[in-house]
Amino acid sequence: MIRQLTRRVVLKFLAACAAFFGFRRSANAQRGPDREPTTVGHWARTNDRVWLGEEFWANPMEDWSIVDGAAECRGSGGNRNIQLLTHSLSDTKQPFSMSVQVKQVQKGPIEGGAGFRIGVRSEIDEYRSNCFAKGGIDAGIVDGNLVLGKTTAKIAIGDDGFDGELKLTGVPAGNRYTLTLTASDGLRDGPIASVRQTVNAAAIRGNVALVNNFDASIRKGRGSRFRFQDWKVSGGAITETPDHRFGPLLWSMYSLSDSRTAGGFVLKLTAFTGPLGVDDLRTVQLQTPRGGVWTTIGEAELDPDAWTATFRIPDWNEKRETPYRVVYWERHPDGSETEHEWTGKIKANPLGRPLRLGALTCQNDYGFPYEPVADNLLKLDPDMLYFSGDQIYENHGGFGIIRDPAEPAILNYLRKFYQFGWSFREAMRDRPTICIPDDHDVFQGNIWGEGGAAMKDLNKGASSKGGYREPARMVNVVHKTNTSHHPDIYDPTPSQQDISVYFGDMVYGNVSFAILGDRQWKSGPEHVETGSGRADHVRDPDFDATALDAKGLVLLGERQEEFLAQWSDDWRGHTMKVLLSQTVFAAVATHHGNYDGYLKADLDSGAWPQTARNRAIDIIRKSKALHINGDQHITTLVQYGVAKQRDSNWSFCTPAISAGYPRWWRPDEVGMEHNNRPRHKRPHTGEYLDGFGNKVYVYGVGNPKVGRDKNRYQKAHEKGSGFGMVTIDTEAKTYKIEAFRFLIDATDGNESNQFPSWPVTIYQRENGGDNVIG
Ligand SMILES: [Fe+2]
């Protein structure tokens, strides 16, 4: 290892720089009608492992493995497939050819077949979104037939199932396209069967894939299993885009914080790989340029559950921007190695100018890969990013969730989480990111963590009870993948079941950001009686929800309250503060789920339990922190009141990146009284008592429309999706708060880019109840 390190470390800086800048090339798409068929990926030269390689997206990842040099489907359900990321069918005036070796390894009750699928295309025809698209043209062997679209031909297959080559070729024919599928078994010369079909030329455009069990309705345990080798593609119809590779270093996230100890500024960076094999190298290196040479400054072990490698580098020179490079050497079975890198830059600590924070939440994958938001982030170039939870939902990527046991549940979680990195990695590579998990990240519709307790009565659903539904080992992977790159934890003592905690702070740009898990200790709704038949919802408008404030109920928990009290008094190294947590400490939604779905009070909100909510605000008042949160799928800007209206901190609940379950705040329609409406006179604003009786001054709200559009981005826009930007000016002592919509160019200055009432600038002192705005 030492020898290798020395050899590797002393790399020529110029060559590395070329690679560094190479990553920023626009997609270097190539076409080549005359090129030889190329084998995609390198399964024959890969150790046995789950992750198939950087050229592929496997649906679902947990059902595939590399076994003895082939991609083998380990699941027997329908529509298991491998999408090719680096090659797509695009030029329908040109021909193409694809071949693959297919071998049946297990025959199921249903012969679901195997082969190719082409023309896999979503409504936005973007390669990542295409990976999850329905439709396309199937071409393969199915139950003794060679099948190409709607055309079939009988084929003689031995008792052990098919073992041979499938070849699909296509040639343009005017506005049509003629496809030919042949099968050979290697025993006889030439094809043993062939079938031909002519289709609309446009139908072939999109992703190409391999499929195991074509029919999506085949249930687990019912279909057959196949293995695939030597997938070759060629022809002018194919566009090759090497930049679409994803891995083995998938992405990285980092934080940079003034520890205010002898360690100075501390960089923490986590790199992600896909799940690797027992014979693969388990270490990753972090390099920065020193004296013109990429130099290793840290080596980290990959966590064999989370597939994360976390570096902690104290005494970081925060005064200058520093390029970095994460390096992984992929070992091949023949002993050779391939070097892979992921690059970015560690920003300089922003001083002498305002700090600009991009604040995001909730990415429901109907809007995947959320390009309008991701692109706006790159254009706005914030100093720092904050994802406040629901980086995934249970339905992410289809194919269901696996709750137990921990190992497959973790793989199932990871491939959903990888969709988050796939969407936002370009923004995250170059700036600190704070990322906290919420309920859906741990496969729960709601979470009242009860200090890490295991959920009881599992057969009664996972969304209306206290505790964690998932195995602690899986929950810890969720915490690790989201937060392992955060600054050191305030008090790392785990909670019940050894579930890890992640509260603490980051001091950056003259600002301290407190990071909470605001539901990790929260009491479950079964401690009280809502009278609605559902433990967490109050539906009766006449129900007195102040009665739900039972004695001893917990919101943040003692440990986090103690941390916040200490943090509110600690002004070392900064002059302004921000509180980052999952949700708003008020019930600022009157309608849930559908437009007329009135709900008086939702115990999932941070409005309950009231006494603990008031105590939390009493603690943070003197911090004069702006609270930035998410979770609600409706953006709001409010000021908390405890003893009286408007005596406490402001809260900005950011728009969802891609809002799923809709909520509205329409108090005027349901007869809730208000006082002191802001000067802008917009409806549903002013001083209210929320459904729990908490005092809240609502200054701005971004009510959504009902989302109906078939285009995912139009639909996300209708549903009130978007993102927040908060500019923290430590000279002027102000927070400028912006709530951007989804389908806009955030840099064109158009007033309608933001929700009504935004942008808003508040003074630091207003978070202590010294009000200016009105
Ligand atoms: Fe959410």
Side-chain angles (χ1 to χ4, degrees):
M1 196 65 208
I2 296 296
R3 179 192 59 80
Q4 289 175 337
L5 274 186
T6 317
R7 173 170 58 82
R8 287 164 178 160
V9 164
V10 190
L11 292 169
K12 286 281 180 285
F13 182 46
L14 283 179
C17 260
F20 176 73
F21 290 111
F23 253 93
R24 276 158 177 68
R25 286 195 308 266
S26 59
N28 57 343
Q30 311 165 4
R31 282 193 201 123
D34 304 324
R35 302 223 311 272
E36 284 294 297
T38 48
T39 299
V40 292
H42 50 272
W43 295 329
R45 296 181 60 236
T46 303
N47 292 317
D48 289 3
R49 67 184 187 201
V50 168
W51 188 68
L52 297 186
E54 58 270 29
E55 297 87 356
F56 311 102
W57 177 265
N59 281 318
M61 182 179 82
E62 63 271 17
D63 274 4
W64 291 90
S65 276
I66 293 174
V67 180
D68 291 336
E72 185 168 317
C73 192
R74 313 302 297 272
S76 49
N79 190 32
R80 272 50 189 167
N81 61 78
I82 305 170
Q83 302 281 326
L84 181 56
L85 303 178
T86 49
H87 299 71
S88 64
L89 276 170
S90 60
D91 186 351
T92 58
K93 300 286 182 219
Q94 302 266 355
F96 81 92
S97 175
M98 283 202 297
S99 63
V100 69
Q101 303 293 319
V102 181
K103 180 174 170 30
Q104 183 173 294
V105 288
Q106 188 180 1
K107 185 175 169 159
I110 299 172
E111 284 276 19
F116 302 106
R117 182 174 290 155
I118 64 169
V120 187
R121 190 167 79 245
S122 77
E123 85 286 6
I124 56 170
D125 192 11
E126 188 274 348
Y127 76 105
R128 291 167 294 181
S129 71
N130 289 349
C131 290
F132 308 96
K134 293 193 170 71
I137 302 167
D138 291 343
I141 39 142
V142 185
D143 197 16
N145 291 293
L146 201 57
V147 175
L148 174 57
K150 294 187 174 67
T151 313
T152 63
K154 283 275 172 217
I155 180 171
I157 297 174
D159 291 343
D160 293 336
F162 185 76
D163 181 4
E165 184 187 77
L166 292 175
K167 185 170 187 183
L168 179 66
T169 57
V171 290
N175 290 332
R176 311 274 291 168
Y177 208 87
T178 300
L179 300 168
T180 305
L181 177 68
T182 59
S184 343
D185 64 4
L187 302 174
R188 287 159 278 187
D189 283 342
I192 52 173
S194 75
V195 61
R196 177 170 296 195
Q197 188 179 14
T198 299
V199 298
N200 259 334
I204 70 157
R205 283 195 293 111
N207 280 22
V208 300
L210 299 176
V211 185
N212 186 108
N213 294 322
F214 287 105
D215 181 353
S217 70
I218 296 173
R219 285 183 289 120
K220 274 183 194 169
R222 303 290 295 165
S224 298
R225 298 194 301 107
F226 294 84
R227 47 193 274 123
F228 301 87
Q229 274 175 294
D230 204 14
W231 185 4
K232 287 195 173 89
V233 300
S234 62
I238 302 255
T239 297
E240 182 180 357
T241 318
D243 281 1
H244 287 181
R245 285 185 298 231
F246 185 35
L249 292 160
L250 301 170
W251 82 98
S252 65
M253 297 197 276
Y254 74 87
S255 70
L256 180 61
S257 183
D258 182 358
S259 70
R260 296 159 298 165
T261 66
F265 272 75
V266 178
L267 170 71
K268 283 179 79 175
L269 183 145
T270 292
F272 298 83
T273 68
L276 302 172
V278 290
D279 294 324
D280 284 319
L281 190 67
R282 295 296 182 95
T283 54
V284 177
Q285 292 189 15
L286 177 64
Q287 299 181 341
T288 54
R290 297 243 169 116
V293 175
W294 281 114
T295 306
T296 298
I297 60 168
E299 181 169 281
E301 289 283 321
L302 280 162
D303 180 290
D305 274 352
W307 297 101
T308 51
T310 301
F311 304 89
R312 184 183 187 282
I313 314 289
D315 297 315
W316 185 263
N317 181 352
E318 83 286 0
K319 293 189 176 63
R320 59 154 198 251
E321 181 174 293
T322 304
Y324 71 89
R325 179 175 183 261
V326 179
V327 191
Y328 178 72
W329 285 273
E330 182 178 11
R331 263 187 206 153
H332 303 291
D334 64 6
S336 63
E337 291 182 345
T338 303
E339 182 182 286
H340 296 276
E341 69 172 9
W342 173 256
T343 61
K345 61 191 184 199
I346 309 297
K347 272 188 185 289
N349 187 37
L351 284 183
R353 63 180 176 82
L355 183 156
R356 294 162 61 245
L357 170 72
L360 303 101
T361 192
C362 293
Q363 35 201 299
N364 196 309
D365 90 333
Y366 76 83
F368 176 81
Y370 333 106
E371 292 166 287
V373 173
D375 291 347
N376 272 319
L377 287 179
L378 292 177
K379 279 190 193 175
L380 291 168
D381 189 23
D383 295 295
M384 177 178 163
L385 294 175
Y386 165 47
F387 293 90
S388 64
D390 293 353
Q391 277 69 255
I392 65 147
Y393 285 83
E394 293 89 324
N395 61 347
H396 248 61
F399 300 92
I401 54 169
I402 300 172
R403 291 198 175 278
D404 302 289
E407 266 183 58
I410 287 167
L411 292 178
N412 180 261
Y413 161 76
L414 285 176
R415 56 102 167 160
K416 296 172 196 284
F417 189 70
Y418 293 161
Q419 287 185 247
F420 157 59
W422 214 4
S423 302
F424 291 105
R425 62 181 181 154
E426 292 304 325
M428 293 190 288
R429 65 157 92 216
D430 290 335
R431 51 190 56 75
T433 299
I434 294 297
C435 182
I436 54 175
D438 199 12
D439 41 16
H440 293 283
D441 300 286
V442 292
F443 293 176
Q444 292 183 217
N446 296 303
I447 189 159
W448 298 267
E450 294 272 4
M455 187 180 282
K456 301 185 181 91
D457 297 329
L458 295 185
N459 54 345
K460 290 189 190 159
S463 297
S464 303
K465 289 195 300 286
Y468 285 81
R469 167 61 185 84
E470 289 302 298
R473 184 173 157 198
M474 180 273 193
V475 173
N476 282 339
V477 166
V478 175
H479 290 185
K480 209 165 259 175
T481 49
N482 282 277
T483 71
S484 57
H485 65 286
H486 286 184
D488 297 346
I489 299 160
Y490 179 74
D491 168 11
T493 312
S495 59
Q496 291 179 53
Q497 302 191 78
D498 266 339
I499 286 178
S500 58
V501 303
Y502 52 83
F503 62 97
D505 69 339
M506 168 163 151
V507 177
Y508 182 66
N510 205 14
V511 180
S512 177
F513 298 87
I515 302 158
L516 292 191
D518 68 19
R519 289 144 159 179
Q520 197 167 0
W521 279 270
K522 188 175 177 179
S523 303
E526 61 269 51
H527 294 286
V528 294
E529 179 50 64
T530 61
S532 72
R534 186 170 154 169
D536 54 330
H537 283 177
V538 176
R539 295 211 171 273
D540 178 358
D542 297 323
F543 185 92
D544 178 12
T546 59
L548 300 177
D549 190 21
K551 207 164 179 237
L553 294 177
V554 172
L555 178 60
L556 302 182
E558 279 177 28
R559 290 175 62 192
Q560 293 193 113
E561 287 179 0
E562 190 270 325
F563 158 66
L564 282 180
Q566 182 275 338
W567 175 75
S568 295
D569 276 335
D570 178 2
W571 289 93
R572 292 172 302 144
H574 63 281
T575 60
M576 291 179 77
K577 289 179 187 282
V578 170
L579 171 62
L580 304 177
S581 86
Q582 284 83 354
T583 199
V584 47
F585 300 160
V588 204
T590 51
H591 296 76
H592 290 230
N594 60 65
Y595 192 80
D596 296 319
Y598 174 75
L599 195 60
K600 172 155 187 173
D602 178 7
L603 278 68
D604 176 50
S605 80
W608 179 82
Q610 295 94 322
T611 296
R613 172 265 188 192
N614 287 339
R615 190 168 63 241
I617 296 169
D618 283 340
I619 293 170
I620 60 169
R621 186 177 301 110
K622 68 177 163 183
S623 76
K624 297 188 177 66
L626 170 68
H627 184 195
I628 309 177
N629 49 74
D631 164 62
Q632 288 288 306
H633 312 170
I634 170 176
T635 183
T636 56
L637 182 63
V638 309
Q639 184 177 18
Y640 301 138
V642 177
K644 58 183 172 60
Q645 287 282 6
R646 304 201 57 188
D647 64 3
S648 307
N649 310 66
W650 283 70
S651 154
F652 176 33
C653 177
T654 67
I657 293 166
S658 178
Y661 184 85
R663 290 185 182 86
W664 289 263
W665 169 250
R666 306 200 310 269
D668 295 2
E669 287 179 25
V670 296
M672 288 171 71
E673 286 179 23
H674 70 271
N675 289 309
N676 297 322
R677 183 150 281 177
R679 272 192 287 276
H680 61 54
K681 296 291 179 210
R682 292 201 174 85
H684 315 304
T685 64
E687 295 170 4
Y688 290 89
L689 294 180
D690 72 13
F692 290 95
N694 297 304
K695 296 176 187 71
V696 60
Y697 174 63
V698 179
Y699 185 85
V701 57
N703 275 315
K705 291 183 180 151
V706 175
R708 294 205 168 90
D709 206 286
K710 288 199 162 50
N711 177 283
R712 68 189 63 201
Y713 293 156
Q714 295 284 358
K715 183 177 174 182
H717 189 83
E718 287 174 342
K719 286 169 74 69
S721 308
F723 65 100
M725 282 288 297
V726 179
T727 303
I728 305 160
D729 187 332
T730 55
E731 294 291 319
K733 298 286 186 282
T734 56
Y735 305 83
K736 182 184 179 191
I737 301 159
E738 298 175 282
F740 286 103
R741 294 179 181 276
F742 187 89
L743 207 50
I744 52 116
D745 176 350
T747 59
D748 69 8
N750 194 329
E751 263 183 40
S752 64
N753 287 347
Q754 297 200 42
F755 289 92
S757 306
W758 282 269
V760 178
T761 298
I762 63 165
Y763 286 93
Q764 180 184 29
R765 65 178 194 269
E766 295 187 73
N767 291 308
D770 183 0
N771 297 319
V772 179
I773 202 169

